[in-house]
Amino acid sequence: MSEMLEFIQGLPKAELHLHIEGTLEPELKFRLAERNGVDLPAASVEEMKAAYDFDDLPSFLAVYYEGMSVLLTENDFFDLTHAYLAKAASQNVMYAEIFFDPQAHTSRGVAFDTVIQGIRRAQEVGRSELGIDTQLIMCFLRDMSVESAAEALGQSLPHKDWIVGVGLDSDERGNPPLKFAEVFARAREHGYRLTIHCDVDQEDSVAHIWQCVSDIGVERIDHGTNSLEDTALIADIHERDLALTSCPISNSFVSDGTKASSIKALLDLGVKVTINSDDPAYFRGYMTENFAVAQHEAGLTSAELVQVSRNALDSAWLSDEERAPYVARLEAYADLY
Ligand code: ADE
Ligand code: ZN
């Protein structure tokens, strides 16, 4: 292992953009399919992996939703989440904020309760046995109706103490943030923190980011690197100290590259950009691999990588008291190098 890769592997990290359903590795998918008597469209793990050659967001999403057919019971959601937490902990991820997509499950007849109880049980094991702390962010599917999002918000309320915020994901084309302005306003009233996906190089990307910042008032933007195309927009994001959660390997699948140069440009501007894995089982790269790709392509220094980790901790939805031990671990690591 190169010295830089060793540095990245050991770097204490925080992940802020991770879809738990996107951590479903083909091997686990086959195991759950067998356990639940579900037919899969591929005969082997190799055949399934060969079909993971997406070239835009919709082609990825089709495979992502199809994969969820094996997730039926509380134990399935436990196994899914536990596997991610073990992998993340092995890469020195100290803390993660995890997205989940309840509508993708309730629309298949799987109860909201089943989903969250399974995830929750794994989070507790993650904390006690793996030493990784996590919080949950519930995403609305933007290609479903506003009424369906409002219903999901209502279903979440009995579990409010387990959910730190809400997000917006799925197919962005024709589904601007403003479509969900009222649901997000209601979520804020209930005490949820707000973030929204503005995927890379989408139709109307810049206009969508403006809506998030000016109309909805999000605290973070997931992806959002197209904000660099508009100097007034990036100045506004900087001024408001909003974080952007970038996902280099994911970018290379759904657009024309990792956008590592945008990450470097954002760091140079002092914007709180972070590096994350998005859907690591489908894009084949967890945190270490995503940091390594961005470092290699943009020539990031170890100090800049520490800054990326620091940005994630600073923009994590934690109190200063909760944040302090993670920052101390990061600073101790940086001092060693
Ligand atoms: N759902 C899961 N991953 C996503 C992504 N990167 N963008 C939009 N929706 C998603
Ligand atoms: Zn995402």
Side-chain angles (χ1 to χ4, degrees):
M1 203 191 286
S2 75
E3 216 175 302
M4 179 51 89
L5 194 54
E6 240 172 78
F7 175 81
I8 289 171
Q9 166 66 23
L11 180 71
K13 294 179 274 293
E15 173 144 66
L16 302 182
H17 185 155
L18 180 279
H19 302 263
I20 199 62
E21 296 89 345
T23 71
L24 179 55
E25 290 287 349
E27 290 79 1
L28 181 58
K29 205 186 275 186
F30 271 95
R31 247 192 297 141
L32 298 183
E34 197 179 344
R35 183 155 98 189
N36 292 328
V38 173
D39 280 335
L40 288 175
S44 67
V45 164
E46 289 67 38
E47 194 184 316
M48 181 168 286
K49 285 183 180 169
Y52 288 1
D53 65 343
F54 331 104
D55 52 9
D56 58 14
L57 184 57
S59 61
F60 157 67
L61 289 170
V63 176
Y64 169 78
Y65 291 120
E66 184 181 77
M68 293 183 201
S69 63
V70 302
L71 297 169
L72 294 174
T73 68
E74 188 186 310
N75 275 342
D76 300 338
F77 286 92
F78 174 87
D79 290 344
L80 173 73
T81 308
H82 188 265
Y84 162 69
L85 294 174
K87 179 73 185 178
S90 79
Q91 294 195 339
N92 289 302
V93 176
M94 304 178 280
Y95 172 79
E97 289 177 7
I98 299 176
F99 294 131
F100 71 114
D101 285 340
Q103 292 158 283
H105 310 302
T106 53
S107 63
R108 299 182 291 116
V110 178
F112 192 107
D113 265 37
T114 301
V115 177
I116 199 162
Q117 298 284 358
I119 296 174
R120 177 76 194 163
R121 194 151 53 79
Q123 286 180 277
E124 280 160 3
V125 173
R127 179 161 300 144
S128 61
E129 292 177 17
L130 300 166
I132 178 167
D133 291 325
T134 52
Q135 298 199 87
L136 280 182
I137 301 173
M138 175 178 80
C139 280
F140 303 116
L141 300 188
R142 68 201 307 161
D143 45 3
M144 292 184 76
S145 68
V146 174
E147 292 72 27
S148 175
E151 188 185 356
L153 178 63
Q155 288 168 336
S156 78
L157 294 179
H159 309 286
K160 212 169 84 171
D161 290 349
W162 294 353
I163 302 171
V164 68
V166 297
L168 187 66
D169 66 1
S170 206
D171 195 358
E172 188 166 335
R173 194 184 161 96
N175 296 299
L178 269 186
K179 172 177 167 186
F180 296 94
E182 253 185 65
V183 178
F184 272 77
R186 292 240 307 279
R188 174 189 275 128
E189 283 166 16
H190 286 294
Y192 289 126
R193 317 290 290 261
L194 310 182
T195 187
I196 287 182
H197 272 60
C198 292
D199 271 88
V200 285
D201 297 344
Q202 294 292 297
E203 195 175 84
D204 302 321
S205 270
V206 168
H208 288 184
I209 300 170
W210 271 119
Q211 290 175 15
C212 291
V213 174
S214 306
D215 298 299
I216 297 185
V218 296
E219 292 175 77
R220 299 206 298 247
I221 298 165
D222 299 310
H223 302 295
T225 43
N226 290 85
S227 51
L228 282 164
E229 293 162 18
D230 183 327
T231 47
L233 176 57
I234 198 62
D236 206 27
I237 286 172
H238 190 205
E239 165 120 9
R240 292 173 195 252
D241 206 22
L242 304 183
L244 303 186
T245 64
S246 194
C247 308
I249 300 179
S250 162
N251 292 343
S252 71
F253 275 89
V254 302
S255 72
D256 63 358
T258 63
K259 311 292 177 188
S261 59
S262 299
I263 293 173
K264 167 74 176 146
L266 291 161
L267 283 169
D268 289 347
L269 288 169
V271 173
K272 285 220 168 77
V273 64
T274 68
I275 292 176
N276 310 271
S277 71
D278 206 1
D279 300 285
Y282 291 94
F283 300 133
R284 283 152 284 173
Y286 287 79
M287 285 290 269
T288 291
E289 292 79 16
N290 274 277
F291 269 68
V293 162
Q295 187 283 322
H296 179 73
E297 286 197 12
L300 301 179
T301 64
S302 51
E304 285 171 322
L305 296 171
V306 169
Q307 184 64 49
V308 168
S309 245
R310 182 63 200 250
N311 288 346
L313 291 178
D314 286 348
S315 37
W317 288 334
L318 295 166
S319 67
D320 287 345
E321 206 182 342
E322 291 165 329
R323 193 184 333 273
Y326 305 117
V327 173
R329 267 173 74 182
L330 176 61
E331 286 179 347
Y333 186 80
D335 284 350
L336 265 179
Y337 272 83

